[in-house]
Amino acid sequence: MTALPDPESVTGEMVRALEAGLRAEGQTKVTVHDLIGTGFNPVFGPADHQVYRAARSGAPVAVPADVQAEQKLVASADTVILAFPVHWWTLPAVLKGWIDRVFTRGWAYGSAGQGETPVRGLHFVALAAFGQEPFERRGYRQAMSKQLFEGIAQYINTGQAGIYNLYESESADPATHAHLVEQAHGVGVTIARAVADGPEA
């Protein structure tokens, strides 16, 4: 799952390297789903709010068709990877809105007697414009981990989750770009191996 305004940017190259890493050992089938390219509407509107409220009351309410399609895609996957440029120390709006609308109560979490969540694995790959030092010094990395890993992945009780931070995507240094591409490829290999090993990895 990506949200890239410019697929030809360095972050776009990093996402392609991530995909190549996922495929590298031949055990993983990868579907790249570009939310900006597909025109997904991230606005949590009245129909979404009705679904949210109905999940608690048990009233029959139709889930919007675009959300149903996204839920079907998620449920078909062993793991979901959200690869994104960091905007204001968090997810881009379209990706946050995707989570708001797709990870609905009664489907991703919060239904009576619910077994495992349909979101069997969830990994975040955050592509930051600047270096690691301010993220550490100001607590941004820790805040993102709290929000994404604990607040989303653990909250919906997904079986396998991780968060990976890659830095300096706006550097003008070609060597830095090459290193980032190599790192992204390595993250893909790591996630693919974890998925192949199962939820206890």
Side-chain angles (χ1 to χ4, degrees):
M1 200 73 57
T2 67
L4 301 176
D6 179 8
E8 299 308 312
S9 63
V10 174
T11 51
E13 188 177 358
M14 291 163 72
V15 168
R16 289 188 288 276
L18 174 67
E19 179 188 356
L22 288 165
R23 298 181 189 273
E25 297 181 352
Q27 301 182 65
T28 308
K29 178 182 176 184
V30 180
T31 299
V32 178
H33 189 53
D34 174 14
L35 292 176
I36 293 177
T38 61
F40 179 78
N41 177 10
V43 177
F44 187 94
D48 303 293
H49 192 238
Q50 288 180 0
V51 172
Y52 172 79
R53 298 181 82 173
R56 176 168 288 176
S57 68
V61 172
V63 175
D66 61 339
V67 171
Q68 287 186 48
E70 298 295 317
Q71 290 177 340
K72 182 178 179 180
L73 181 63
V74 169
S76 72
D78 291 323
T79 198
V80 174
I81 301 168
L82 309 182
F84 57 93
V86 176
H87 289 189
W88 289 105
W89 323 116
T90 189
L91 301 164
V94 67
L95 193 46
K96 176 58 168 62
W98 181 86
I99 291 171
D100 291 345
R101 296 192 64 214
V102 175
F103 286 12
T104 56
R105 181 165 66 185
W107 184 79
Y109 71 99
S111 64
Q114 179 178 334
E116 292 184 6
T117 175
V119 189
R120 295 192 290 276
L122 184 61
H123 298 267
F124 301 91
V125 182
L127 313 174
F130 301 107
Q132 182 172 356
E133 190 276 333
F135 275 74
E136 299 291 348
R137 174 168 48 84
R138 297 178 178 176
Y140 298 142
R141 182 185 61 80
Q142 298 88 333
M144 287 178 64
S145 179
K146 177 72 73 173
Q147 176 197 23
L148 303 178
F149 183 73
E150 295 184 32
I152 298 175
Q154 289 188 341
Y155 186 78
I156 65 173
N157 199 29
T158 189
Q160 187 184 90
I163 182 166
Y164 306 84
N165 296 281
L166 304 179
Y167 302 98
E168 296 195 47
S169 68
E170 289 191 359
S171 169
D173 178 19
T176 299
H177 290 178
H179 180 61
L180 287 171
V181 168
E182 182 181 354
Q183 283 185 302
H185 186 277
V187 168
V189 171
T190 297
I191 295 174
R193 288 176 179 171
V195 172
D197 290 341
E200 299 303 316

